[in-house]
Amino acid sequence: MKQNFIQSRNYLLLLLISIGILWGCSSSNNDPAPANQYLVSSSVVGEYTTAQLSARVDGAALGSDNALVIGVVKGLIKNPIKVIKVVYNTKGVDGKAIQASGLVIFPKTTESVPLISQQHGTIADKNDAPSLYGTASEAYQLASIVASNGFIIACPDYIGYGASANLDHPYEHRETLAQASLDMLRAAKELIAQEKAAWSQKVMITGYSEGGFATMALQKKMEEQFPNEFNLVASSCGAGAYNKTAFMNYIINQKTHGIAQYNSLYIWVTMAYNSIYGLNRPASYYFNAPYAADVASKGPQASIPVSINLAYADTFRNGINNGTDTQYITGVKDNDIFDWKPKTSTQLYHGTADQHVFYFNSETAAAAMKAKGAADVTLITVQGTDHFTTLPNYLLGTLTFFTSKK
């Protein structure tokens, strides 16, 4: 009897062990969590109540003293938010692995919400990078309010800011902007799983100025190279320099505004492409005296308070106009992102009086896209507004657009 009991017990133990092994092999609950491929680290920046977000609006963080505007913005605030800085893996200008950073903002809600990738505009002060969450940053001022409304928002720093601040920012470079933004989305996806946040699996992308260009570059890369990785449902691009070839030909040949602040960005693009494409020419190749010496020593901080075409050197201008400077022309053309066929529902916002990033960038993009058969591209022309006064139309329009795609 005792021997039979022992045999039965041993048999039962073996059976349980076997079942346990089988369960262990088949049950995801016992499997170790897959290692993150993109997300390197994450750290909580802070958690903020709706009252704290409302106080930001009262403090004129959005730069408006209009009671109606403040009321509308306050109306967007619905949920507290949690702000997390991330460091993630991406690629630099040379295609080699590099770590970059960004910010992910979560609404504190049980509702399943979309994920927005918000590409920031030009940053002159590296302290305004999204991951630093300074009060002057787009992430602090705008993205946090929109997140509170019911969106998860990923804000890439790009190369040259945050974790990669020791590097020069490859200004207006299509490939690195797209890659850093895409890899940030991938890191955000891993963070969402880590945070167990409710995500609807929908993705929307947006940005203004350099952010508009970055968003278009990201959209093109996602649609053409990784069409099945994310459920991209909407893209909203504001005042981006999509037609780089036409832009360059215009500013080297036509009389423009002569505003030094705007010209500094044209200087930045000129010298960035000189470096990115390995030309490494002196500033004097591109600019006349006395401006060349200022550009050589100060870069984009150089002051050129005249129409920029007068500052460009004849040798450079002639090489572009007669087609002999093939290296530079090829580099600029590599950053054209206006002539392709988007599949995603896309809106382009631009003011007709924009003297910073000229209106023809969006006009030629919309025309080229429709000519290629794009069925859902809408050019939203804002009559009489400049680069900055178009912003309210873009912001309100984008939020309405994205809300309709939830």
Side-chain angles (χ1 to χ4, degrees):
M1 177 80 69
K2 182 177 180 181
Q3 185 177 1
N4 290 339
F5 172 77
I6 293 172
Q7 288 176 341
S8 298
R9 184 190 65 183
N10 290 342
Y11 175 77
L12 181 60
L13 287 172
L14 287 172
L15 181 62
L16 290 172
I17 291 170
S18 298
I19 292 172
I21 291 172
L22 290 174
W23 281 355
C25 291
S26 62
S27 173
S28 61
N29 292 334
N30 293 326
D31 286 341
N36 290 325
Q37 184 179 354
Y38 296 95
L39 182 63
V40 175
S41 66
S42 61
S43 56
V44 176
V45 174
E47 298 187 33
Y48 305 92
T49 66
T50 54
Q52 288 173 314
L53 293 174
S54 183
R56 294 183 190 182
V57 182
D58 285 331
L62 299 177
S64 175
D65 57 2
N66 185 302
L68 178 61
V69 171
I70 291 174
V72 169
V73 173
K74 278 192 172 186
L76 301 177
I77 299 170
K78 294 181 179 179
N79 303 288
I81 61 171
K82 182 178 182 179
V83 181
I84 299 178
K85 176 184 177 179
V86 302
V87 175
Y88 65 97
N89 294 315
T90 188
K91 296 176 182 176
V93 172
D94 57 5
K96 295 181 180 178
I98 189 176
Q99 290 188 354
S101 53
L103 203 70
V104 182
I105 309 173
F106 292 91
K108 299 179 75 172
T109 177
T110 56
E111 178 188 1
S112 184
V113 298
L115 168 62
I116 295 176
S117 180
Q118 191 261 323
Q119 286 64 241
H120 65 74
T122 299
I123 290 178
D125 185 345
K126 294 197 175 190
N127 290 320
D128 291 337
S131 67
L132 299 180
Y133 206 54
T135 57
S137 69
E138 291 180 25
Y140 184 93
Q141 293 184 345
L142 299 172
S144 295
I145 304 298
V146 175
S148 173
N149 193 248
F151 296 90
I152 301 168
I153 303 193
C155 307
D157 285 341
Y158 310 150
I159 303 300
Y161 302 101
S164 59
N166 60 309
L167 302 174
D168 289 333
H169 172 52
Y171 190 53
E172 291 284 306
H173 181 229
R174 169 190 58 81
E175 178 57 28
T176 50
L177 288 170
Q179 189 69 57
S181 300
L182 176 58
D183 290 338
M184 176 68 192
L185 263 176
R186 291 163 167 164
K189 180 180 178 180
E190 293 174 348
L191 181 65
I192 289 169
Q194 185 174 296
E195 290 288 309
K196 297 181 173 56
W199 173 34
S200 68
Q201 302 297 313
K202 290 183 177 181
V203 172
M204 306 170 185
I205 58 177
T206 189
Y208 193 85
S209 196
E210 184 183 14
F213 178 77
T215 298
M216 185 70 76
L218 171 62
Q219 181 180 350
K220 189 173 189 292
K221 191 175 189 69
M222 291 176 73
E223 290 193 19
E224 294 182 352
Q225 298 180 35
F226 306 97
N228 301 316
E229 185 171 351
F230 290 98
N231 179 25
L232 182 61
V233 299
S235 173
S236 181
C237 306
Y242 319 115
N243 192 339
K244 284 287 192 289
T245 295
F247 202 148
M248 175 187 65
N249 287 331
Y250 188 83
I251 64 172
I252 68 172
N253 291 305
Q254 303 297 322
K255 182 179 180 181
T256 54
H257 42 72
I259 300 172
Q261 180 186 0
Y262 295 2
N263 286 343
S264 69
L265 305 185
Y266 307 155
I267 297 167
W268 198 351
V269 175
T270 301
M271 300 311 294
Y273 288 2
N274 179 60
S275 173
I276 290 166
Y277 294 97
L279 306 183
N280 300 318
R281 299 164 176 169
S284 58
Y285 180 86
Y286 299 101
F287 296 98
N288 292 321
Y291 308 114
D294 204 24
V295 172
S297 63
K298 298 179 183 177
Q301 283 72 48
S303 178
I304 300 182
V306 298
S307 177
I308 194 73
N309 69 309
L310 302 176
Y312 279 116
D314 288 342
T315 50
F316 173 58
R317 186 187 303 105
N318 292 338
I320 298 300
N321 287 333
N322 63 30
T324 57
D325 192 348
T326 56
Q327 287 181 299
Y328 202 86
I329 292 171
T330 300
V332 171
K333 188 173 179 57
D334 185 49
N335 291 278
D336 280 339
I337 49 172
F338 73 99
D339 192 9
W340 65 291
K341 181 182 176 181
K343 298 176 183 177
T344 304
S345 183
T346 303
Q347 291 188 347
L348 306 177
Y349 290 82
H350 219 127
T352 57
D354 193 335
Q355 294 300 301
H356 186 179
V357 179
F358 302 99
Y359 173 71
F360 63 72
N361 280 280
S362 292
E363 187 177 40
T364 56
M369 290 169 179
K370 290 177 181 178
K372 287 188 178 296
D376 198 4
V377 173
T378 304
L379 172 60
I380 299 171
T381 299
V382 188
Q383 293 292 336
T385 58
D386 62 25
H387 196 69
F388 304 99
T389 55
T390 306
L391 263 169
N393 299 80
Y394 155 75
L395 293 170
L396 182 58
T398 298
L399 183 59
T400 302
F401 178 40
F402 283 4
T403 300
S404 74
K405 296 291 183 177
K406 269 191 169 183

